Amino acid sequence: MAIAELTQAQRDQLLADHPGWGLARDGKAIERKLEFADFNEAFGFMTRVALLADKADHHPEWFNVYNRVELTLTTHDAGGLSQRDADMASAIDALL
Ligand SMILES: C[C@H](O)[C@H](O)[C@H]1CNC2=NC(N)=NC(=O)C2=N1
């Protein structure tokens, strides 16, 4: 399903609203890097994100090594950032 890509002003707002996140891939994605106490904490967090993502039908790209989790949000159906990424960033931030 096609969904609108955010405008420059909306991208700026997204970043202002989500201080932990930074732009990536020429403004086509946002990313956040997290460090937890250990693997158990990191994977527990990933499990909670996975449940959110499945419910929202919006899935992160991510990378995990031991206690580190790197998340990238983009909307494949928009070819860049959309409101779904802003909503997912908010939902993820609320878990932290
Ligand atoms: C068919 C299904 O709803 C789509 O492919 C969903 C699944 N999860 C998705 N996740 C992300 N990050 N972007 C999408 O465009 C997307 N689309």
Side-chain angles (χ1 to χ4, degrees):
M1 188 187 76
I3 177 165
E5 196 174 354
L6 295 182
T7 63
Q8 175 71 55
Q10 288 170 323
R11 283 206 299 267
D12 291 346
Q13 190 61 51
L14 192 171
L15 291 176
D17 291 343
H18 301 88
W21 297 80
L23 275 189
R25 295 191 206 156
D26 286 335
K28 299 282 184 197
I30 49 172
E31 65 183 8
R32 180 161 189 176
K33 298 182 184 196
L34 296 165
E35 207 171 294
F36 295 87
D38 53 26
F39 179 73
N40 190 288
E41 293 288 320
F43 202 76
F45 165 78
M46 291 175 77
T47 303
R48 289 188 285 280
V49 171
L51 294 174
L52 277 179
D54 208 34
K55 209 168 176 179
D57 195 28
H58 194 64
H59 303 87
E61 298 173 21
W62 51 12
F63 178 79
N64 160 245
V65 176
Y66 182 53
N67 65 335
R68 284 193 292 125
V69 179
E70 298 179 8
L71 292 148
T72 301
L73 298 178
T74 188
T75 302
H76 307 122
D77 296 342
L81 287 167
S82 77
Q83 186 57 41
R84 286 186 202 165
D85 300 303
D87 294 345
M88 185 56 60
S90 297
I92 290 170
D93 287 352
L95 294 176
L96 295 167

